[in-house]
Amino acid sequence: MFLPAILRSGHIVDYDYLFNNVLINKVHYDMSKLKSVKTNGKVGVYDLKVGKTIYLDVKNMNVNELKASTSLPLIGKVVKENGREILDGGITEMIPISESIKDGC
């Protein structure tokens, strides 16, 4: 039986369902594909305890960190990973210009 996200998870978007059920179980996305990316890439996540966006190397990300990088406040829940509470990095930096400059772009 189909339940709307708000009833299933208490949030407008049920990121757990999207990532764990749809992405992993139905689409069969293999996280190891990120490790084979030929370019260097980073994904920003906002660390609530630190109060700033931190950048993770895509080649070392796990599914929870990927989930956090899309999880918006008020719409989804905070993702807990490696002792951090993290959300989408776009909260503070929609376009990470300062990180790009730091990386030499």
Side-chain angles (χ1 to χ4, degrees):
M1 179 177 135
F2 175 76
L3 280 176
I6 194 81
L7 296 176
R8 189 175 45 246
S9 71
H11 294 85
I12 295 171
V13 177
D14 185 353
Y15 289 101
D16 288 333
Y17 178 81
L18 286 173
F19 278 83
N20 300 335
N21 191 4
V22 177
L23 186 68
I24 303 298
N25 295 330
K26 291 197 174 28
V27 176
H28 305 290
Y29 184 74
D30 181 2
M31 288 296 293
S32 67
K33 289 180 182 181
L34 282 176
K35 296 184 185 330
S36 67
V37 172
K38 300 221 185 307
T39 61
N40 293 331
K42 294 180 183 178
V43 172
V45 294
Y46 183 78
D47 187 323
L48 282 100
K49 290 180 180 178
V50 177
K52 69 178 188 175
T53 297
I54 57 172
Y55 292 89
L56 307 173
D57 183 340
V58 259
K59 294 179 182 179
N60 298 318
M61 288 180 69
N62 63 41
V63 73
N64 277 339
E65 292 166 331
L66 184 62
K67 184 188 322 175
S69 74
T70 65
S71 190
L72 299 170
L74 304 175
I75 293 175
K77 69 179 184 178
V78 172
V79 175
K80 295 179 181 180
E81 182 65 28
N82 294 326
R84 298 183 304 230
E85 294 181 346
I86 49 181
L87 290 168
D88 182 355
I91 293 169
T92 58
E93 296 187 52
M94 284 294 269
I95 302 172
I97 294 172
S98 60
E99 190 68 15
S100 297
I101 292 169
K102 192 168 88 175
D103 288 346
C105 294

